[in-house]
Amino acid sequence: MVRTTSVRLLLATVSTLALSVAAHAQDSASEPATDTQTTESQIAPAAETAVVLDTVTVTASKLKTTAIDTPASVSIVNEEDLDRFQPDGLGDILNSLPGVETSGGPRSSVQIPTIRGLTDDRVVVRIDGARANLRNGHKGGIFIDPEMLKSVEVYRGPASTMQGTGALGGAVTLQTLDAKDLLEGDDRIGARIKTGYASVDHKLTLNSTVYGRPTENSDVLIGITRKSGGSYENGSGEKEPYTDDDYINGLFKGGIDFSDTGRMHLTVQRYSDDHRLPAAPDGASLSNIVDRETEQLTGVFGAEYFSPNNDLIDASGTVYGMRTNLDEKRITDGRHDERKLETLGMEGANTSRFAFGDNELAVTLGGEVFEDTQEGRRNGEPTPGLFPDADMLITGVYLDNRLTLMENLELTAGIRYDSFDQSASGQSDRSDDAISPRFSVAYRVAPWLQPYVSYAEAFNAPSLTQLYNDGTHFGNNQFVPNPNLEAEKAKTWELGANFKADQLFTSRDSLRAKVAVFQNEITDYIEQSVTGGFNGTTTSSNLPEAEIKGFEAEVNYDTGLLFSSVAMSVLRGENSETGENLSNIQGDKLSLSGGYRLMDYGLELGGRAIMVAEQDRVPDDTANRGGYTRLDLFARWDASDHVDGLQVNAGIDNLLDQTYRTSDAIIYEPGRNFKISASMKF
């Protein structure tokens, strides 16, 4: 049974790590060197103390604990990782993480994160705090510029208490660079120019960024990226048509610090692309080609305030808006389709701390409200069937408590209340509400070992598309709206352990590891079904209950000179009543990476292998996916000793030129790809 296998894998992993760490625990185990996020964007000489790998999680808790000390499954892709692998899209960023993948295929504009087999609006995506809510069927909806990212954090499992309604699978938060990340020492102003090239599609990337401190307590950054390329070749040497890309992204960020007690900040980002592709770009059909222009405008204003003299005040608030426009003109007859989604939201929270001797209670009270408004037009006329004018208002409040007893025992309990109202022109209104509790218990058995158990519930309202879509789907296949869809509810148990130890085998090494088994039971699981094929119907309906369970592990080891990581996941999903397999469940995955730093030369060399097993546990035999092994190489050179501010990154993706597809994708991934980029800081 999967459950037995997962438990055995967990026990085996825990035992192996425990034996390795415990052998050195009495002499060498230590607390993490810092609780602040490390900056690893440059290759520096090894320190005389342990290498610090701890980064702060902003997704798991408003308390900003380090990821390794969080009793939850959290992974962070930092700026160093982004430099190593030079990602072209969200899939390149997430593909080596356990339990995580992207659906939609390799076209960057249609990639949607999948966490533990759950995708679309079951995963909350935030960009600098703003919710990216567009999920438009085959057309995707998440548009990012990897050149301006500094970190990507993934929370696996229900995260509704902190991240808001909808997070049945988890949450992905993307943080963009700000001036503080690029300024060095006492510098008041600086600039960075970056260019890159990829051979598989002859893609050229140009990025220019200027940043500075106008005053001692303020900072400003302005960046712009242009990326363009042609259609790529897959591993068989065949062109995948209409996979070219051309986008421009502009970013403005500014902030003002108020001594050590607070900060206000503003982010404005505009993404724009223009390319020719199928109307359903996640598919291979070339019968319906459109010229598509995409524009996404995001604005975020936030403020934080901390009172050094009052433990009752540690507050933050955010107001944001995101508007996404998809404008398509069909090549054959000029048919003009427009789709627009506007999301306006605000949220805030305050944490109060109470001390009882060596014990501390942190109480966080927060709330959120956001509204999605969508509008569809075809040749200037409303599209009540295909993309109806509709809106959804969601409000939520939550209370979260973390009690730390005797420094080693951590108890967390929280509860969230959400309500939603949905309406569409000419269709029935919908409203519902739900309460989502969570709790966890974590105990630091030793400085190097923290086992935990957690339980969490999450709530996801049916999307406007699932409720109200009508009209033609493909050919003569017709959408059948289902305004009676129930909201999905998830209940997840997770048993895991965190490992951290420094100076295990050398005076400068560091080990960090997280392992977990989980079981997620989802009631009223929404699944779209197509009957009758070309001349049939498509509708969404509730399954009474679905179950997804599995095992995940992530291990990182660094000596300063050598570094390595291992990530693996085993997932199973089924309809609990019929035993039928669920869609979107990825194959068993193992990811290995590592490298060596030649400190005297400022050089880092390494590689990565991603191995995914064949996936034949699918509801339809036509959705079977073969297994694959992808090998990547990378090199990073800090050439500052030769040319001040110069850094060069090079790599080869898919070294063996494999022909493969990921998850439920229809299009094959790019073949062997030589990549190089260079950046210069002034």
Side-chain angles (χ1 to χ4, degrees):
M1 294 178 62
V2 174
R3 184 176 303 175
T4 304
T5 302
S6 299
V7 172
R8 288 176 178 172
L9 283 168
L10 174 64
L11 293 175
T13 306
V14 170
S15 300
T16 302
L17 290 169
L19 289 172
S20 299
V21 177
H24 300 266
Q26 292 183 345
D27 298 325
S28 59
S30 63
E31 295 299 312
T34 181
D35 279 343
T36 60
Q37 186 166 350
T38 59
T39 301
E40 301 173 304
S41 59
Q42 294 183 339
I43 304 171
E48 292 301 322
T49 57
V51 175
V52 178
L53 298 177
D54 302 334
T55 49
V56 171
T57 170
V58 298
T59 306
S61 172
K62 301 293 184 182
L63 303 178
K64 296 182 179 180
T65 55
T66 57
I68 192 60
D69 293 315
T70 302
S73 296
V74 180
S75 297
I76 298 176
V77 180
N78 58 26
E79 191 177 352
E80 185 180 44
D81 296 322
L82 295 171
D83 280 345
R84 281 175 184 156
F85 298 110
Q86 305 176 72
D88 187 48
L90 194 60
D92 289 341
I93 296 172
L94 303 179
N95 60 9
S96 62
L97 300 181
V100 183
E101 204 170 47
T102 53
S103 63
R107 290 188 177 104
S108 61
S109 61
V110 298
Q111 293 177 348
I112 301 294
T114 298
I115 302 178
R116 292 181 174 177
L118 297 173
T119 188
D120 292 325
D121 54 351
R122 298 177 181 119
V123 174
V124 170
V125 178
R126 292 181 181 268
I127 302 175
D128 285 333
R131 292 181 67 118
N133 286 347
L134 180 64
R135 305 291 187 272
N136 190 13
H138 300 286
K139 299 181 185 295
I142 297 179
F143 309 98
I144 64 169
D145 174 19
E147 303 304 321
M148 296 307 299
L149 292 177
K150 70 175 177 181
S151 69
V152 178
E153 185 174 342
V154 178
Y155 185 106
R156 298 185 296 277
S160 281
T161 302
M162 291 298 184
Q163 289 304 315
T165 183
L168 269 66
V172 177
T173 61
L174 301 99
Q175 295 289 326
T176 57
L177 289 165
D178 55 39
K180 293 182 177 181
D181 300 309
L182 297 172
L183 287 168
E184 298 179 2
D186 296 327
D187 290 348
R188 296 295 296 271
I189 191 170
R192 186 188 72 174
I193 298 176
K194 184 176 181 180
T195 183
Y197 174 78
S199 67
V200 74
D201 53 3
H202 304 291
K203 185 167 289 181
L204 182 65
T205 302
L206 298 172
N207 171 266
S208 299
T209 307
V210 294
Y211 43 88
R213 295 189 184 100
T215 64
E216 288 295 332
N217 67 330
S218 65
D219 55 88
V220 175
L221 176 146
I222 300 174
I224 186 168
T225 301
R226 170 71 186 275
K227 182 176 288 190
S228 62
S231 296
Y232 66 77
E233 292 184 355
N234 61 35
S236 300
E238 299 175 353
K239 282 278 188 181
E240 291 289 354
Y242 302 107
T243 55
D244 55 297
D245 203 1
D246 188 352
Y247 76 77
I248 297 177
N249 184 72
L251 173 68
F252 169 85
K253 296 188 76 171
I256 300 176
D257 295 315
F258 300 99
S259 184
D260 295 327
T261 62
R263 177 175 171 83
M264 292 194 306
H265 50 89
L266 173 68
T267 301
V268 178
Q269 187 166 201
R270 182 181 183 274
Y271 175 99
S272 175
D273 70 30
D274 183 0
H275 47 198
R276 183 170 291 187
L277 74 177
D282 63 348
S285 173
L286 305 180
S287 62
N288 197 3
I289 304 301
V290 300
D291 276 325
R292 186 169 98 170
E293 296 180 4
T294 303
E295 181 188 61
Q296 186 170 81
L297 181 64
T298 305
V300 181
F301 175 77
E304 296 87 34
Y305 177 74
F306 167 74
S307 175
N309 302 316
N310 189 343
D311 290 338
L312 300 181
I313 301 177
D314 185 356
S316 64
T318 302
V319 179
Y320 63 87
M322 180 179 290
R323 184 186 67 205
T324 307
N325 289 307
L326 302 181
D327 189 294
E328 297 181 349
K329 293 181 180 178
R330 192 160 65 180
I331 301 300
T332 56
D333 57 8
R335 189 183 72 186
H336 187 195
D337 284 337
E338 300 170 274
R339 291 172 173 82
K340 180 173 70 174
L341 178 74
E342 290 185 351
T343 301
L344 297 175
M346 61 184 298
E347 59 181 80
N350 180 70
T351 299
S352 301
R353 293 175 172 84
F354 306 88
F356 309 95
D358 294 333
N359 308 318
E360 182 187 78
L361 173 64
V363 179
T364 301
L365 178 64
E368 175 188 31
V369 57
F370 70 89
E371 182 178 35
D372 284 341
T373 303
Q374 72 175 36
E375 182 180 283
R377 295 291 182 269
R378 172 164 289 177
N379 297 325
E381 298 297 325
T383 55
L386 187 61
F387 194 77
D389 294 351
D391 59 76
M392 175 171 64
L393 177 68
I394 291 184
T395 58
V397 293
Y398 62 85
L399 177 67
D400 207 67
N401 306 277
R402 188 183 74 178
L403 177 62
T404 304
L405 300 174
M406 301 172 292
E407 297 185 354
N408 294 324
L409 178 62
E410 179 181 308
L411 307 175
T412 301
I415 191 167
R416 181 183 179 99
Y417 170 78
D418 284 296
S419 66
F420 73 86
D421 293 281
Q422 298 168 310
S423 62
S425 178
Q427 305 218 40
S428 302
D429 295 350
R430 283 290 313 280
S431 62
D432 201 354
D433 58 8
I435 293 176
S436 305
R438 77 155 183 150
F439 75 84
S440 66
V441 179
Y443 184 71
R444 191 163 295 285
V445 178
W448 51 270
L449 174 61
Q450 183 190 39
Y452 68 87
V453 60
S454 67
Y455 173 81
E457 295 186 11
F459 163 80
N460 181 41
S463 70
L464 297 174
T465 298
Q466 291 169 332
L467 282 173
Y468 299 126
N469 259 19
D470 199 354
T472 302
H473 181 197
F474 61 90
N476 196 35
N477 186 281
Q478 301 296 307
F479 277 113
V480 177
N482 185 358
N484 298 316
L485 279 175
E486 297 292 334
E488 298 174 312
K489 299 178 180 64
K491 300 178 180 180
T492 298
W493 284 95
E494 181 169 316
L495 172 65
N498 300 327
F499 299 82
K500 63 175 182 179
D502 300 322
Q503 302 173 3
L504 276 171
F505 307 111
T506 74
S507 62
R508 295 191 293 261
D509 69 351
S510 181
L511 174 71
R512 300 291 184 265
K514 297 177 81 75
V515 296
V517 292
F518 69 91
Q519 178 173 294
N520 189 358
E521 295 182 352
I522 307 168
T523 55
D524 294 319
Y525 182 86
I526 299 174
E527 190 162 69
Q528 180 176 279
S529 58
V530 178
T531 58
F534 200 80
N535 295 308
T537 60
T538 299
T539 190
S540 295
S541 57
N542 292 109
L543 300 181
E545 186 172 305
E547 182 181 70
I548 301 174
K549 50 192 175 184
F551 165 80
E552 296 167 345
E554 193 170 17
V555 183
N556 294 280
Y557 179 71
D558 201 320
T559 71
L561 295 176
L562 290 167
F563 60 94
S564 62
S565 66
V566 179
M568 69 174 299
S569 56
V570 177
L571 301 178
R572 301 291 184 268
E574 65 179 23
N575 182 326
S576 300
E577 285 198 343
T578 66
E580 183 181 19
N581 294 304
L582 298 179
S583 57
N584 296 318
I585 305 297
Q586 67 178 245
D588 301 343
K589 180 165 69 172
L590 174 64
S591 175
L592 307 172
S593 66
Y596 184 78
R597 301 183 181 102
L598 290 81
M599 297 297 184
D600 293 340
Y601 302 97
L603 187 64
E604 178 184 278
L605 302 173
R608 174 178 66 176
I610 301 174
M611 294 163 277
V612 178
E614 178 186 2
Q615 174 60 306
D616 57 5
R617 297 175 299 276
V618 291
D620 182 350
D621 289 341
T622 61
N624 286 3
R625 285 292 176 266
Y628 64 89
T629 297
R630 167 176 161 171
L631 299 179
D632 304 328
L633 299 179
F634 60 84
R636 303 172 64 229
W637 181 35
D638 183 353
S640 297
D641 290 343
H642 305 278
V643 179
D644 190 32
L646 176 63
Q647 180 169 312
V648 180
N649 298 298
I652 307 175
D653 288 351
N654 194 4
L655 176 66
L656 302 181
D657 211 16
Q658 295 290 294
T659 303
Y660 70 97
R661 295 178 291 181
T662 62
S663 188
D664 61 346
I666 296 174
I667 303 174
Y668 287 100
E669 293 289 315
R672 186 184 297 113
N673 187 17
F674 296 87
K675 299 190 295 188
I676 187 168
S677 66
S679 63
M680 176 78 76
K681 293 177 67 176
F682 302 93

